[in-house]
Amino acid sequence: MRLTEPTLHADRLLVLLRQIVGTPHVLVAPHATAPYTKGFRFGSGKVRAVIRPRTLVEFWRVAELCVAADQIMIVQAANTGLTGGSTPDGDAYDRPVILINTRRLRGMHLLDGGRQVICLPGTTLHKLETTLARHGREPHSVIGSSCIGASVLGGISNNSGGALVQRGPAYTEMALYGRVTAEGRLELVNHLGVKLDADPIRALARLESGAFTRDEIEWTGRKGHDDGYVAHVRDVEAQTPARFNQDERRLFEASGCAGKLIVFAVRVDSFPAELDSRVFYIGTNCTDKLEDLRRHLLTAYDTLPIAGEYMHRNAFRIAEAYGRDTVALIRYAGTRNIPRLFAAKAWLDDWLGQWKWLPAHLTDKVMQKLGRLLPQQIPERMLAFEARFEHHLMLRVSADLAPRVEAHLRDTFATEGTDWFACTPDEGNRAFLHRFAAAGAALRYRAVHDHEVGEIVALDVALRRNDREWSETLPAALDARILEKLYYGHFLCHVMHQDYVLKPGESAEATEHEMLRLLDQRGARYPAEHNLGHLYEGDDALFAHYRDLDPCNCLNPGIGRSTKKRNWKAESI
């Protein structure tokens, strides 16, 4: 039942919300809501309020009230997405928007010694990683989005990818979530594999406190990760990509829901930690050599490598020049402190933004100057390879697989224009940190040279598994618009990140449209792992999935450039 019309008045709604979560956690002032309504890289919009519940019961009651009051809900965790999928998009909504931030809802429950974990909405990947490390296990993703404080549920909701070849996209079939029915009623769906009360309040309170017994945990055969991915990625003759966000194989309730459900908890698998792994660093000027190696690594052995990360020479150089402080921070401060530092920088950027007389991107410019005072972070042997080779591959393999891979490299990479070396543990760690720093290097480059360069086009591309022509060659007219091209990615999965810094005055939108048309011609899919957000357009099959999850279109409407209208009504022309 919906609230009566007078009750829909904004002041009355805010009073009720304050009664649920407390006045300090109902934010309405623009300066207070700004950190939540502006995306990490893209997207912003206005909201009626930002709500920060402390318990799952408060979360349920807030959602129940918003449904009754016919409010749009956007549920957000760490707000680290790159495509604007967890923030409002402009102001073209037909109902008021309430943003619910779940960062305070932290907690996890380890099952069977950590073999599986139940994670609440605010649980970060970094916290999960450090907790599992004490049990000799790892989560789906390590070093990457975990370093900026991303949440476990955010990864599941977006089918996020990662660098670890054997684990595929983030996925589970076990979740506890709220769904808004076509009749406008909020219902709790328990597919978590834990026997809980039928009453939502008691069920959520008991789950959060961990007040369930071993006998109430069900081992039903539902999957806690994409256990078919290894066979899938090994099929190197397939004409489709290995993983991408609109893949219907991995859309299941909370997995890939993109905020169209209110997810209270997910249950995910963990994995045995790899001990004594080895890293090989490979350089070549011949793309065919790397593609032959990719196919061999995916098909020749009984186990797959742990990770295979690619960098083009340009990405190497830009990351060295504009990511040195990132590598140093992780090396010297540890990954534990990186999310706090990223959060502090975001807060400082927002605060400094109030003073219009200050230079734009001041924190980036200061950090860049300080970073150049730091000692070189890249090992000498890697620097020597940068001078010799256009294409670089960092390959991490298990101790068991290492001798066979090393023998293969000796046999096949001893020709002119190619070379390799076995890294020391320190060299291997720094190589992968350098690759991680490439992800933010284009943004730093543009921030430092904001008066000299244009916009950035950042693409997240899944190439076909059988695509031998993976290295991009742009038409001359399109290439002429670009100052810097940065290519890097998860090479064994054929997932590439392609960042383009445009010349001043060039349109990012027009350039992106041309590039996407070229990718369509190549049979590529996009986005590969960052989800559609409000940047990419979804297809009919994906929208059918979203309509099934959220028939009233009251949860994160507009995602994938879909309609923002109630009940999925078409946008007016």
Side-chain angles (χ1 to χ4, degrees), residues 347-366:
W347 177 87
L348 186 59
D349 285 338
D350 184 64
W351 185 77
L352 292 173
Q354 302 175 72
W355 312 100
K356 302 303 181 185
W357 52 271
L358 287 173
H361 312 294
L362 181 59
T363 57
D364 283 288
K365 292 173 180 177
V366 171

Side-chain angles (χ1 to χ4, degrees), residues 228-246:
Y229 186 73
V230 168
H232 186 68
V233 75
R234 282 185 185 275
D235 186 1
V236 295
E237 298 303 331
Q239 297 188 30
T240 57
R243 54 180 170 93
F244 56 98
N245 285 135
Q246 297 187 68

Side-chain angles (χ1 to χ4, degrees), residues 163-232:
L164 303 178
V165 182
Q166 303 169 25
R167 300 180 191 177
Y171 179 79
T172 185
E173 295 173 357
M174 295 174 284
L176 179 70
Y177 59 88
R179 178 178 180 271
V180 182
T181 68
E183 296 74 33
R185 180 174 56 86
L186 180 63
E187 62 180 15
L188 186 67
V189 180
N190 180 13
H191 290 163
L192 194 63
V194 179
K195 296 177 182 177
L196 298 170
D197 305 68
D199 176 70
I201 300 297
R202 289 197 296 269
L204 292 168
R206 199 152 69 87
L207 175 68
E208 185 165 13
S209 65
F212 51 86
T213 67
R214 181 176 304 215
D215 292 339
E216 291 176 308
I217 302 171
E218 301 170 334
W219 300 91
T220 61
R222 282 180 176 258
K223 297 178 180 179
H225 79 285
D226 184 357
D227 63 355
Y229 186 73
V230 168
H232 186 68

